[in-house]
Amino acid sequence: MDFRPLKVSGAFEFVPRVFPDERGLFVAPFQEEAIVRAAGHPLRVAQTNHSVSRAGSIRGVHFADTPPGQAKYVYCPSGSLLDVVVDLRVGSPTFGEWDSVRIDSTEFRAVYVAEGIGHAFVALEDNTVMTYLCSEPYNPAGEHGINPLDPALDLPWPAGLAPIVSEKDKAAPTLAEALDQGLLPTYADCVAYYEKLRSAHR
């Protein structure tokens, strides 16, 4: 499996080999060895999530208190979506920047999002399925969001799709407001936690 780092450090795109034949296809969208090569440690899977979305549905920008935060490995078993990672780590060299990857059920690209990085996506077609492998279980008290329509972030939502956003995500603070409210993780805390995970693997 090939991978490449995204513009936001700690986030990676993965590209597995797809084997089509007359029966259909076979692919291994998640391979631990590739995660270890990219992140320096395996992904502990504490919970898997599954969402089905209409075209134009935006989910995110979501993040969790770090440590422990919640790392995610996401791929699209059906349909297509634009996946977006946002650097929310105060003090990071790329704070406030984002990167995006189109993932779908043709190439089965996947994205790894380290703890403390914001994650969002938009479904590009109806009945788009997202599978998430999460390093920690859902913790309502530690979960937060940034408004995905924050004009200062200027996330790459397609102009041809009417955005469908939950009331919770619409009510989320902008990046500037979250910073003022002290909701965002620090880059130093996140980097220390990543090193702790790598040290445990050595």
Side-chain angles (χ1 to χ4, degrees), residues 5-202:
L6 299 181
K7 185 167 64 175
V8 175
S9 65
F12 298 87
E13 175 190 16
F14 294 84
V15 186
R17 290 185 64 193
V18 180
F19 300 92
D21 62 22
E22 65 276 6
R23 300 167 297 173
L25 64 80
F26 177 86
V27 63
F30 172 78
Q31 298 175 37
E32 183 180 73
E33 180 268 341
I35 292 284
V36 172
R37 283 192 290 126
H41 60 84
L43 174 67
R44 170 181 178 258
V45 179
Q47 179 172 313
T48 61
N49 299 334
H50 175 100
S51 67
V52 182
S53 301
R54 293 169 51 195
S57 296
I58 296 173
R59 298 180 186 265
V61 179
H62 299 148
F63 67 101
D65 290 339
T66 305
Q70 187 186 62
K72 297 174 183 174
Y73 185 91
V74 299
Y75 66 94
C76 177
S78 181
S80 60
L81 56 91
L82 185 69
D83 200 67
V84 179
V85 296
V86 184
D87 197 343
L88 304 178
R89 301 165 298 183
V90 179
S92 168
T94 54
F95 176 73
E97 295 185 26
W98 54 263
D99 205 348
S100 64
V101 176
R102 179 191 164 97
I103 58 179
D104 57 36
S105 53
T106 302
E107 294 185 323
F108 289 90
R109 295 172 185 264
V111 172
Y112 173 79
V113 187
E115 296 85 350
I117 298 173
H119 178 253
F121 73 87
V122 60
L124 301 177
E125 57 186 285
D126 286 340
N127 297 314
T128 288
V129 176
M130 170 74 98
T131 294
Y132 318 63
L133 281 63
C134 303
S135 65
E136 296 289 337
Y138 175 64
N139 173 22
E143 297 289 327
H144 306 285
I146 302 294
N147 191 313
L149 305 179
D150 179 356
L153 282 177
D154 193 26
L155 298 179
W157 308 130
L161 287 175
I164 305 169
V165 183
S166 72
E167 292 303 318
K168 181 179 178 181
D169 287 343
K170 284 180 186 176
T174 64
L175 180 62
E177 289 168 343
L179 180 61
D180 288 343
Q181 295 168 20
L183 295 176
L184 302 177
T186 70
Y187 185 62
D189 285 347
C190 291
V191 169
Y193 190 66
Y194 307 155
E195 183 54 36
K196 179 181 176 181
L197 294 173
R198 293 187 191 106
S199 294
H201 176 64
R202 292 184 188 125

